[in-house]
Coordinates of all heavy atoms in Angstrom, one line a residue:
M1 N 117.4 128.0 127.0 CA 116.8 129.3 127.0 C 116.9 129.9 125.6 O 118.0 129.8 125.0 CB 117.4 130.2 128.0 CG 116.4 131.4 128.4 SD 117.2 132.4 129.6 CE 117.5 133.9 128.7
A2 N 115.8 130.5 125.0 CA 115.9 131.0 123.7 C 116.7 132.3 123.7 O 116.5 133.2 124.5 CB 114.4 131.3 123.2
S3 N 117.6 132.4 122.7 CA 118.3 133.6 122.6 C 117.5 134.8 122.0 O 116.4 134.5 121.5 CB 119.5 133.4 121.6 OG 119.0 133.3 120.3
E4 N 118.0 136.0 122.1 CA 117.3 137.1 121.6 C 117.0 136.9 120.1 O 115.9 137.3 119.6 CB 118.2 138.4 121.9 CG 117.5 139.7 121.5 CD 116.2 139.9 122.3 OE1 116.1 139.4 123.4 OE2 115.4 140.7 121.8
R5 N 117.9 136.3 119.4 CA 117.8 136.2 118.0 C 116.6 135.2 117.7 O 115.8 135.4 116.8 CB 119.1 135.6 117.4 CG 119.2 136.0 116.0 CD 120.6 135.7 115.4 NE 120.4 135.2 114.1 CZ 121.2 134.3 113.5 NH1 122.1 133.7 114.2 NH2 120.9 134.0 112.3
D6 N 116.6 134.1 118.4 CA 115.5 133.1 118.2 C 114.2 133.8 118.5 O 113.2 133.5 117.8 CB 115.7 131.9 119.2 CG 116.8 131.0 118.7 OD1 117.2 131.1 117.5 OD2 117.3 130.2 119.5
H7 N 114.2 134.6 119.5 CA 112.9 135.3 119.9 C 112.5 136.2 118.8 O 111.3 136.2 118.4 CB 113.2 136.1 121.2 CG 111.9 136.8 121.7 ND1 110.8 136.1 122.1 CD2 111.6 138.1 121.8 CE1 109.9 136.9 122.5 NE2 110.3 138.2 122.3
R8 N 113.4 136.9 118.2 CA 113.0 137.8 117.1 C 112.5 137.0 115.9 O 111.6 137.4 115.2 CB 114.2 138.7 116.7 CG 114.4 139.9 117.5 CD 115.1 141.0 116.7 NE 116.4 140.5 116.2 CZ 117.6 140.6 116.8 NH1 117.6 141.2 118.0 NH2 118.7 140.2 116.4
R9 N 113.2 135.9 115.6 CA 112.7 135.1 114.5 C 111.3 134.5 114.8 O 110.5 134.5 113.9 CB 113.7 133.9 114.3 CG 113.3 133.1 113.1 CD 114.2 131.9 112.9 NE 115.6 132.3 112.8 CZ 116.6 131.6 113.4 NH1 116.4 130.5 114.1 NH2 117.9 132.0 113.3
M10 N 111.0 134.2 116.0 CA 109.7 133.7 116.4 C 108.7 134.8 116.1 O 107.6 134.5 115.5 CB 109.7 133.3 117.8 CG 109.1 132.0 118.1 SD 109.5 131.5 119.9 CE 108.5 132.8 120.7
L11 N 109.0 136.0 116.5 CA 108.1 137.1 116.3 C 107.8 137.3 114.8 O 106.7 137.6 114.4 CB 108.6 138.4 116.9 CG 108.6 138.4 118.4 CD1 109.2 139.7 118.9 CD2 107.1 138.3 119.0
R12 N 108.9 137.2 114.0 CA 108.8 137.5 112.6 C 107.9 136.4 111.9 O 107.1 136.7 111.1 CB 110.2 137.5 112.0 CG 110.2 138.2 110.6 CD 111.6 138.1 110.0 NE 112.1 136.8 109.9 CZ 113.3 136.4 110.2 NH1 114.2 137.3 110.5 NH2 113.7 135.2 110.1
D13 N 108.1 135.1 112.3 CA 107.3 134.0 111.8 C 105.9 134.2 112.1 O 105.0 134.0 111.3 CB 107.8 132.7 112.3 CG 109.2 132.3 111.7 OD1 109.6 133.0 110.7 OD2 109.8 131.3 112.1
A14 N 105.6 134.6 113.3 CA 104.2 134.8 113.8 C 103.6 136.0 112.9 O 102.4 135.9 112.5 CB 104.2 135.2 115.2
Y15 N 104.4 137.0 112.6 CA 103.9 138.1 111.8 C 103.6 137.6 110.4 O 102.5 137.9 109.8 CB 105.0 139.2 111.8 CG 104.6 140.3 110.8 CD1 103.7 141.3 111.1 CD2 105.3 140.4 109.6 CE1 103.4 142.3 110.3 CE2 105.0 141.4 108.7 CZ 104.0 142.4 109.0 OH 103.8 143.4 108.2
K16 N 104.5 136.8 109.8 CA 104.2 136.3 108.5 C 103.0 135.4 108.4 O 102.2 135.5 107.5 CB 105.5 135.5 108.0 CG 106.5 136.4 107.5 CD 107.5 135.7 106.5 CE 108.7 135.1 107.3 NZ 109.7 134.5 106.5
A17 N 102.8 134.6 109.5 CA 101.6 133.7 109.5 C 100.4 134.5 109.6 O 99.4 134.2 108.9 CB 101.7 132.8 110.7
E18 N 100.5 135.6 110.3 CA 99.3 136.6 110.4 C 99.0 137.2 109.1 O 97.8 137.2 108.7 CB 99.7 137.7 111.4 CG 98.6 138.6 111.8 CD 97.6 138.0 112.7 OE1 98.0 137.1 113.5 OE2 96.4 138.3 112.6
R19 N 100.0 137.6 108.3 CA 99.8 138.2 107.0 C 99.1 137.2 106.1 O 98.3 137.5 105.3 CB 101.1 138.6 106.4 CG 101.8 139.8 107.1 CD 101.2 141.1 106.5 NE 101.2 141.1 105.1 CZ 102.1 141.7 104.3 NH1 103.1 142.3 104.9 NH2 102.0 141.7 103.0
K20 N 99.6 135.9 106.2 CA 99.1 134.9 105.3 C 97.6 134.7 105.6 O 96.8 134.5 104.7 CB 99.8 133.6 105.6 CG 100.3 132.9 104.3 CD 101.4 131.9 104.6 CE 102.7 132.5 104.8 NZ 103.7 131.6 105.3
R21 N 97.2 134.7 106.9 CA 95.8 134.5 107.2 C 95.0 135.6 106.7 O 93.9 135.4 106.2 CB 95.7 134.5 108.8 CG 95.4 133.1 109.3 CD 94.7 133.1 110.6 NE 95.5 134.0 111.6 CZ 96.6 133.6 112.2 NH1 97.0 132.4 112.1 NH2 97.2 134.4 113.1
D22 N 95.6 136.8 106.7 CA 94.8 138.0 106.1 C 94.6 137.8 104.6 O 93.5 138.0 104.2 CB 95.7 139.3 106.3 CG 95.6 139.8 107.7 OD1 94.8 139.2 108.5 OD2 96.4 140.7 108.0
E23 N 95.6 137.2 103.9 CA 95.3 137.0 102.5 C 94.2 136.0 102.2 O 93.4 136.2 101.4 CB 96.6 136.5 101.8 CG 97.6 137.6 101.5 CD 98.9 137.0 100.9 OE1 98.7 136.1 100.0 OE2 100.0 137.4 101.2
W24 N 94.2 135.0 103.1 CA 93.2 134.0 102.9 C 91.8 134.5 103.3 O 90.9 134.2 102.6 CB 93.5 132.7 103.8 CG 94.6 131.9 103.2 CD1 95.9 131.8 103.6 CD2 94.5 131.1 102.0 NE1 96.5 131.0 102.7 CE2 95.7 130.5 101.8 CE3 93.4 130.8 101.1 CZ2 96.0 129.7 100.7 CZ3 93.7 130.0 100.1 CH2 94.9 129.4 99.8
S25 N 91.7 135.3 104.3 CA 90.4 135.7 104.7 C 89.9 136.8 103.7 O 88.7 136.9 103.5 CB 90.5 136.4 106.1 OG 91.3 137.5 106.1
L26 N 90.9 137.4 103.0 CA 90.5 138.3 101.9 C 89.7 137.5 100.8 O 88.8 138.1 100.3 CB 91.8 138.9 101.3 CG 91.7 140.2 100.5 CD1 91.3 141.3 101.4 CD2 93.0 140.5 99.9
L27 N 90.1 136.3 100.6 CA 89.5 135.5 99.5 C 88.2 134.9 100.0 O 87.3 134.6 99.2 CB 90.4 134.4 99.0 CG 91.6 134.9 98.2 CD1 92.5 133.7 97.9 CD2 91.2 135.5 96.9
G28 N 88.1 134.7 101.3 CA 86.8 134.2 101.8 C 86.7 132.7 101.6 O 85.6 132.1 101.7
I29 N 87.8 132.0 101.1 CA 87.7 130.6 100.9 C 89.0 129.9 101.5 O 90.0 130.6 101.7 CB 87.7 130.2 99.4 CG1 88.9 130.8 98.6 CG2 86.4 130.6 98.7 CD1 88.9 130.4 97.1
D30 N 88.9 128.6 101.7 CA 90.1 128.0 102.3 C 91.0 127.4 101.2 O 90.6 127.4 100.0 CB 89.7 126.9 103.4 CG 88.8 125.8 102.8 OD1 88.9 125.6 101.6 OD2 88.1 125.2 103.5
R31 N 92.0 126.8 101.6 CA 93.0 126.2 100.7 C 92.4 125.2 99.8 O 92.7 125.2 98.6 CB 94.2 125.6 101.6 CG 95.1 124.7 100.8 CD 96.0 125.5 99.9 NE 96.7 124.6 99.0 CZ 97.9 124.3 99.0 NH1 98.7 124.9 100.0 NH2 98.5 123.5 98.1
E32 N 91.6 124.3 100.3 CA 91.0 123.3 99.5 C 90.1 123.9 98.4 O 90.0 123.4 97.3 CB 90.1 122.4 100.4 CG 90.2 120.9 100.1 CD 89.6 120.1 101.2 OE1 90.4 119.9 102.2 OE2 88.5 119.6 101.1
Q33 N 89.3 124.9 98.8 CA 88.4 125.5 97.9 C 89.2 126.2 96.8 O 88.8 126.3 95.6 CB 87.5 126.5 98.6 CG 86.4 125.9 99.4 CD 85.6 126.9 100.2 OE1 86.2 127.7 100.9 NE2 84.3 126.8 100.1
L34 N 90.3 126.9 97.2 CA 91.2 127.5 96.2 C 91.7 126.5 95.2 O 91.7 126.8 94.0 CB 92.3 128.3 96.8 CG 93.2 129.1 95.9 CD1 92.4 130.1 95.1 CD2 94.3 129.8 96.6
D35 N 92.2 125.4 95.6 CA 92.6 124.3 94.7 C 91.5 123.9 93.8 O 91.8 123.8 92.6 CB 93.1 123.1 95.5 CG 94.4 123.2 96.1 OD1 95.2 124.1 95.7 OD2 94.8 122.4 97.0
D36 N 90.3 123.8 94.3 CA 89.2 123.4 93.5 C 88.9 124.5 92.5 O 88.6 124.2 91.3 CB 88.0 123.2 94.4 CG 86.8 122.6 93.7 OD1 87.0 121.8 92.8 OD2 85.7 122.9 94.1
L37 N 88.9 125.8 92.9 CA 88.7 126.9 92.0 C 89.7 126.9 90.9 O 89.4 127.0 89.7 CB 88.8 128.2 92.8 CG 88.9 129.5 92.0 CD1 87.6 129.7 91.1 CD2 89.1 130.7 92.8
L38 N 91.0 126.7 91.2 CA 92.0 126.8 90.2 C 91.9 125.6 89.2 O 92.1 125.8 88.0 CB 93.4 126.7 90.8 CG 93.8 127.9 91.7 CD1 95.1 127.8 92.4 CD2 93.8 129.2 90.8
D39 N 91.5 124.4 89.7 CA 91.2 123.3 88.8 C 90.1 123.7 87.8 O 90.2 123.4 86.6 CB 90.7 122.1 89.6 CG 91.9 121.3 90.1 OD1 93.0 121.6 89.8 OD2 91.7 120.3 90.9
H40 N 89.0 124.2 88.3 CA 87.9 124.6 87.5 C 88.3 125.6 86.5 O 88.0 125.5 85.3 CB 86.8 125.1 88.4 CG 85.6 125.7 87.6 ND1 84.6 124.9 87.1 CD2 85.4 127.0 87.2 CE1 83.7 125.7 86.5 NE2 84.2 126.9 86.5
V41 N 89.0 126.7 86.9 CA 89.3 127.7 86.0 C 90.3 127.2 84.9 O 90.1 127.5 83.7 CB 90.0 128.9 86.7 CG1 90.6 129.9 85.8 CG2 89.0 129.6 87.6
E42 N 91.2 126.3 85.3 CA 92.2 125.8 84.3 C 91.4 124.9 83.3 O 91.7 125.1 82.1 CB 93.2 124.9 85.0 CG 94.3 124.4 84.1 CD 95.4 123.8 84.9 OE1 95.2 123.3 86.0 OE2 96.6 123.7 84.4
E43 N 90.5 124.1 83.7 CA 89.7 123.3 82.8 C 88.9 124.2 81.8 O 88.9 124.0 80.6 CB 88.7 122.5 83.6 CG 89.2 121.1 83.9 CD 88.2 120.4 84.9 OE1 87.0 120.6 84.8 OE2 88.7 119.7 85.8
Q44 N 88.2 125.2 82.4 CA 87.4 126.0 81.5 C 88.2 126.9 80.6 O 87.8 127.1 79.4 CB 86.5 127.0 82.4 CG 85.5 126.2 83.3 CD 84.6 125.4 82.4 OE1 84.0 125.8 81.5 NE2 84.5 124.1 82.8
L45 N 89.4 127.4 81.0 CA 90.2 128.2 80.1 C 90.7 127.3 79.0 O 90.9 127.8 77.9 CB 91.4 128.8 80.9 CG 91.0 130.0 81.8 CD1 92.3 130.5 82.4 CD2 90.3 131.1 81.1
A46 N 91.0 126.0 79.2 CA 91.5 125.1 78.2 C 90.4 125.0 77.1 O 90.7 124.8 75.9 CB 91.8 123.8 78.8
V47 N 89.1 125.1 77.5 CA 88.0 125.0 76.5 C 87.7 126.3 75.8 O 87.6 126.4 74.6 CB 86.8 124.5 77.2 CG1 85.6 124.4 76.2 CG2 87.0 123.1 77.9
T48 N 87.6 127.4 76.6 CA 87.0 128.6 76.0 C 88.0 129.8 76.0 O 87.8 130.8 75.4 CB 85.8 129.1 76.8 OG1 86.2 129.4 78.1 CG2 84.8 128.0 76.9
G49 N 89.2 129.6 76.7 CA 90.1 130.8 76.8 C 89.6 131.8 77.7 O 88.5 131.7 78.3
C50 N 90.4 132.9 77.9 CA 90.0 133.9 78.8 C 89.4 135.1 78.1 O 89.9 135.5 77.1 CB 91.3 134.4 79.6 SG 90.9 135.6 80.9
D51 N 88.3 135.6 78.6 CA 87.7 136.8 78.0 C 87.9 138.0 78.8 O 87.2 139.0 78.7 CB 86.2 136.6 77.7 CG 85.4 136.5 79.0 OD1 86.0 136.5 80.1 OD2 84.1 136.5 78.9
H52 N 89.0 137.9 79.7 CA 89.4 139.0 80.5 C 88.4 139.5 81.5 O 88.3 140.7 81.8 CB 89.9 140.2 79.6 CG 90.9 139.7 78.6 ND1 92.1 139.1 79.0 CD2 90.8 139.6 77.3 CE1 92.7 138.7 77.9 NE2 92.0 139.0 76.8
T53 N 87.6 138.5 81.9 CA 86.7 138.8 83.1 C 86.9 137.6 84.0 O 87.7 136.7 83.7 CB 85.2 138.8 82.7 OG1 84.8 137.4 82.3 CG2 85.0 139.7 81.5
L54 N 86.2 137.6 85.1 CA 86.3 136.5 86.1 C 85.1 135.5 86.0 O 84.7 134.9 86.9 CB 86.4 137.1 87.5 CG 87.7 137.8 87.9 CD1 87.5 138.7 89.1 CD2 88.8 136.7 88.2
R55 N 84.6 135.4 84.7 CA 83.4 134.6 84.6 C 83.5 133.2 85.0 O 82.6 132.6 85.6 CB 82.9 134.7 83.1 CG 83.7 134.0 82.1 CD 83.1 134.1 80.7 NE 84.1 133.6 79.8 CZ 83.8 132.9 78.7 NH1 82.6 132.6 78.5 NH2 84.7 132.5 77.9
H56 N 84.7 132.5 84.8 CA 84.8 131.1 85.2 C 84.9 131.0 86.7 O 84.4 130.1 87.3 CB 86.0 130.5 84.5 CG 85.9 130.4 83.0 ND1 84.8 130.0 82.4 CD2 86.8 130.7 82.1 CE1 85.0 130.0 81.1 NE2 86.2 130.5 80.9
S57 N 85.6 132.0 87.3 CA 85.7 132.0 88.8 C 84.3 132.2 89.3 O 83.9 131.6 90.3 CB 86.6 133.2 89.2 OG 87.9 133.0 88.7
R58 N 83.5 133.1 88.7 CA 82.2 133.4 89.2 C 81.3 132.2 89.1 O 80.5 131.9 90.0 CB 81.6 134.6 88.4 CG 80.2 134.8 88.8 CD 79.5 135.7 87.8 NE 79.2 137.0 88.4 CZ 79.5 138.2 87.9 NH1 80.1 138.3 86.7 NH2 79.1 139.3 88.5
A59 N 81.4 131.5 87.9 CA 80.6 130.3 87.7 C 81.0 129.2 88.8 O 80.1 128.5 89.3 CB 80.9 129.7 86.3
W60 N 82.3 129.1 89.1 CA 82.7 128.2 90.2 C 82.1 128.6 91.5 O 81.5 127.7 92.2 CB 84.2 128.2 90.3 CG 84.7 127.4 91.5 CD1 85.0 126.0 91.4 CD2 85.0 127.8 92.8 NE1 85.4 125.6 92.7 CE2 85.4 126.7 93.5 CE3 84.9 129.1 93.4 CZ2 85.7 126.8 94.9 CZ3 85.2 129.1 94.8 CH2 85.6 128.0 95.5
A61 N 82.1 129.9 91.9 CA 81.6 130.3 93.1 C 80.1 130.0 93.2 O 79.6 129.5 94.2 CB 81.8 131.8 93.3
G62 N 79.4 130.2 92.0 CA 77.9 129.9 92.0 C 77.7 128.4 92.2 O 76.7 128.1 92.9
S63 N 78.5 127.6 91.6 CA 78.2 126.1 91.7 C 78.6 125.6 93.0 O 78.2 124.5 93.4 CB 79.0 125.4 90.5 OG 80.4 125.4 90.8
R64 N 79.5 126.3 93.8 CA 79.9 125.8 95.1 C 79.3 126.5 96.3 O 79.7 126.4 97.4 CB 81.4 125.9 95.2 CG 82.2 125.2 94.2 CD 82.1 123.7 94.3 NE 83.1 123.0 93.5 CZ 83.0 122.8 92.2 NH1 82.0 123.3 91.5 NH2 84.0 122.1 91.5
S65 N 78.3 127.4 95.9 CA 77.7 128.2 97.0 C 78.7 129.0 97.8 O 78.6 129.1 99.0 CB 76.9 127.3 97.9 OG 75.9 126.6 97.2
V66 N 79.7 129.5 97.1 CA 80.7 130.4 97.7 C 80.3 131.8 97.5 O 79.8 132.2 96.4 CB 82.1 130.1 97.1 CG1 83.1 131.2 97.5 CG2 82.6 128.7 97.5
A67 N 80.5 132.7 98.5 CA 80.1 134.1 98.3 C 80.9 134.8 97.3 O 82.1 135.0 97.4 CB 80.2 134.8 99.7
W68 N 80.3 135.1 96.1 CA 81.0 135.7 95.0 C 81.5 137.1 95.4 O 82.6 137.6 94.9 CB 80.2 135.7 93.8 CG 80.8 136.5 92.7 CD1 80.3 137.6 92.0 CD2 82.1 136.2 92.0 NE1 81.2 138.0 91.1 CE2 82.3 137.2 91.1 CE3 83.0 135.2 92.2 CZ2 83.4 137.2 90.3 CZ3 84.2 135.3 91.4 CH2 84.4 136.3 90.5
S69 N 80.7 137.8 96.2 CA 81.1 139.2 96.5 C 82.5 139.3 97.1 O 83.3 140.2 96.8 CB 80.1 139.9 97.4 OG 79.9 139.1 98.6
E70 N 82.8 138.4 98.0 CA 84.1 138.4 98.6 C 85.2 138.0 97.7 O 86.3 138.6 97.6 CB 84.2 137.4 99.8 CG 83.8 138.0 101.1 CD 83.9 137.0 102.2 OE1 85.1 136.8 102.7 OE2 82.9 136.4 102.6
L71 N 85.0 137.0 96.8 CA 86.0 136.6 95.9 C 86.2 137.6 94.8 O 87.3 137.9 94.4 CB 85.5 135.3 95.1 CG 86.0 133.9 95.7 CD1 85.4 132.8 94.8 CD2 87.5 133.9 95.7
E72 N 85.1 138.3 94.4 CA 85.2 139.3 93.4 C 86.1 140.4 93.8 O 86.9 141.0 93.0 CB 83.8 139.9 93.1 CG 83.7 140.8 91.9 CD 82.3 141.3 91.7 OE1 81.5 141.3 92.6 OE2 82.0 141.6 90.5
A73 N 86.2 140.7 95.1 CA 87.1 141.7 95.6 C 88.4 141.1 95.9 O 89.5 141.8 95.7 CB 86.5 142.4 96.8
G74 N 88.4 139.9 96.4 CA 89.7 139.3 96.9 C 90.6 138.8 95.8 O 91.8 139.0 95.9
L75 N 90.0 138.3 94.7 CA 90.9 137.8 93.6 C 91.8 138.8 93.0 O 93.0 138.7 92.9 CB 90.1 137.0 92.6 CG 89.5 135.6 93.0 CD1 88.6 135.1 92.0 CD2 90.7 134.7 93.3
P76 N 91.2 140.0 92.6 CA 92.0 141.0 92.0 C 93.1 141.5 93.0 O 94.2 141.8 92.6 CB 91.0 142.1 91.7 CG 89.7 141.5 91.5 CD 89.8 140.3 92.5
A77 N 92.7 141.5 94.3 CA 93.7 142.0 95.3 C 94.9 141.0 95.4 O 96.0 141.4 95.8 CB 93.0 142.1 96.7
A78 N 94.6 139.7 95.1 CA 95.6 138.7 95.1 C 96.3 138.6 93.7 O 97.1 137.6 93.5 CB 95.0 137.3 95.5
G79 N 96.0 139.5 92.8 CA 96.7 139.5 91.5 C 95.9 138.8 90.4 O 96.4 138.7 89.3
G80 N 94.7 138.4 90.7 CA 93.8 137.7 89.7 C 92.7 138.6 89.2 O 91.6 138.5 89.7
G81 N 93.1 139.5 88.3 CA 92.1 140.4 87.7 C 91.1 139.8 86.7 O 90.1 140.3 86.4
C82 N 91.5 138.6 86.1 CA 90.7 137.9 85.2 C 91.0 136.4 85.4 O 92.0 136.1 86.1 CB 90.8 138.4 83.8 SG 92.4 138.0 83.1
D83 N 90.3 135.5 84.7 CA 90.5 134.1 85.0 C 91.9 133.6 84.7 O 92.5 132.9 85.5 CB 89.5 133.3 84.1 CG 88.1 133.4 84.7 OD1 87.9 133.4 85.9 OD2 87.2 133.5 83.8
C84 N 92.6 134.1 83.6 CA 93.9 133.6 83.3 C 94.9 134.2 84.4 O 95.9 133.5 84.7 CB 94.3 133.9 81.9 SG 94.6 135.6 81.5
E85 N 94.6 135.4 84.9 CA 95.5 135.9 85.9 C 95.3 135.2 87.3 O 96.3 135.1 88.0 CB 95.2 137.4 86.1 CG 95.7 138.3 85.0 CD 95.4 139.7 85.1 OE1 95.0 140.1 86.2 OE2 95.6 140.5 84.2
V86 N 94.1 134.8 87.5 CA 93.8 134.0 88.7 C 94.7 132.7 88.6 O 95.4 132.4 89.6 CB 92.4 133.5 88.8 CG1 92.2 132.5 89.9 CG2 91.5 134.7 89.1
L87 N 94.7 132.1 87.5 CA 95.5 130.9 87.3 C 97.0 131.2 87.4 O 97.8 130.4 88.0 CB 95.2 130.3 85.9 CG 95.3 128.8 85.8 CD1 94.4 128.1 86.8 CD2 94.8 128.4 84.4
A88 N 97.4 132.3 86.9 CA 98.9 132.6 86.9 C 99.4 133.2 88.2 O 100.5 132.9 88.6 CB 99.1 133.7 85.8
N89 N 98.5 133.9 88.9 CA 99.0 134.7 90.1 C 98.5 134.2 91.4 O 99.2 134.4 92.4 CB 98.7 136.2 89.9 CG 99.3 136.8 88.7 OD1 100.4 136.4 88.3 ND2 98.6 137.8 88.1
V90 N 97.4 133.6 91.4 CA 96.8 133.2 92.7 C 97.2 131.7 93.0 O 96.5 130.8 92.7 CB 95.3 133.3 92.8 CG1 94.8 133.0 94.2 CG2 94.9 134.7 92.4
D91 N 98.5 131.6 93.4 CA 99.1 130.3 93.6 C 99.1 129.8 95.1 O 99.7 130.5 95.9 CB 100.5 130.3 93.1 CG 101.2 129.0 93.1 OD1 100.6 128.0 93.7 OD2 102.3 128.8 92.6
P92 N 98.3 128.8 95.4 CA 98.2 128.4 96.8 C 99.6 128.0 97.4 O 99.8 128.2 98.6 CB 97.3 127.2 96.8 CG 97.2 126.8 95.4 CD 97.5 128.0 94.5
D93 N 100.5 127.5 96.5 CA 101.8 127.1 97.1 C 102.7 128.2 97.5 O 103.6 128.0 98.3 CB 102.5 126.2 96.0 CG 101.8 124.9 95.7 OD1 101.2 124.4 96.7 OD2 101.7 124.5 94.6
E94 N 102.4 129.4 97.0 CA 103.2 130.5 97.4 C 102.7 131.1 98.7 O 103.4 131.9 99.3 CB 103.0 131.7 96.3 CG 104.0 131.5 95.2 CD 103.9 132.6 94.2 OE1 103.3 133.7 94.5 OE2 104.4 132.4 93.1
K95 N 101.6 130.6 99.2 CA 101.0 131.1 100.4 C 101.3 130.2 101.6 O 100.8 130.5 102.7 CB 99.5 131.4 100.2 CG 99.3 132.5 99.2 CD 97.8 132.7 99.0 CE 97.5 133.6 97.8 NZ 97.9 135.0 98.0
V96 N 101.9 129.1 101.3 CA 102.1 128.2 102.5 C 103.3 128.6 103.3 O 104.3 129.1 102.7 CB 102.3 126.7 101.9 CG1 102.7 125.8 103.1 CG2 101.1 126.2 101.2
Ligands
ZN101 ZN1 92.7 136.9 81.2

């Protein structure tokens, strides 16, 4: 039988999983798409650098038929106010 402590831990894990889902739904893309986005942004930044906008992220969304309106709001909320911040702060491994 699960102890009271195990039960509390279970509730806490469920809560954390819930929060994680919220972050993802905020972005409107799944884990695979985020990996793809970060790859694209990294490649483009290596070529042109960051102009302190989300233009590379936006170009990615356009080329992948991803709704830019959701990403445009979701990325800054996840710490990515421009392309280099997306690369620095929107880390999929921190959300697992
Ligand atoms: Zn930047």
Side-chain angles (χ1 to χ4, degrees):
M1 200 179 112
S3 71
E4 184 61 25
R5 208 173 141 213
D6 287 340
H7 183 65
R8 273 206 305 271
R9 185 181 303 139
M10 231 170 61
L11 288 177
R12 199 182 55 219
D13 288 350
Y15 173 75
K16 278 201 269 186
E18 186 73 30
R19 291 276 312 264
K20 230 165 278 172
R21 252 202 310 281
D22 285 351
E23 282 181 41
W24 283 107
S25 63
L26 201 66
L27 289 175
I29 55 176
D30 62 25
R31 165 73 194 251
E32 218 167 285
Q33 287 175 308
L34 181 57
D35 279 344
D36 190 33
L37 167 63
L38 293 177
D39 276 354
H40 172 86
V41 169
E42 190 169 23
E43 268 170 35
Q44 295 303 311
L45 285 184
V47 177
T48 64
C50 184
D51 68 352
H52 309 297
T53 69
L54 287 163
R55 67 180 169 141
H56 296 314
S57 302
R58 176 195 245 128
W60 174 85
S63 69
R64 301 295 194 280
S65 306
V66 168
W68 173 242
S69 56
E70 268 184 80
L71 264 184
E72 188 178 25
L75 286 174
C82 64
D83 287 320
C84 68
E85 287 178 10
V86 168
L87 213 52
N89 298 330
V90 186
D91 183 351
D93 294 326
E94 275 181 17
K95 296 179 188 294
V96 173

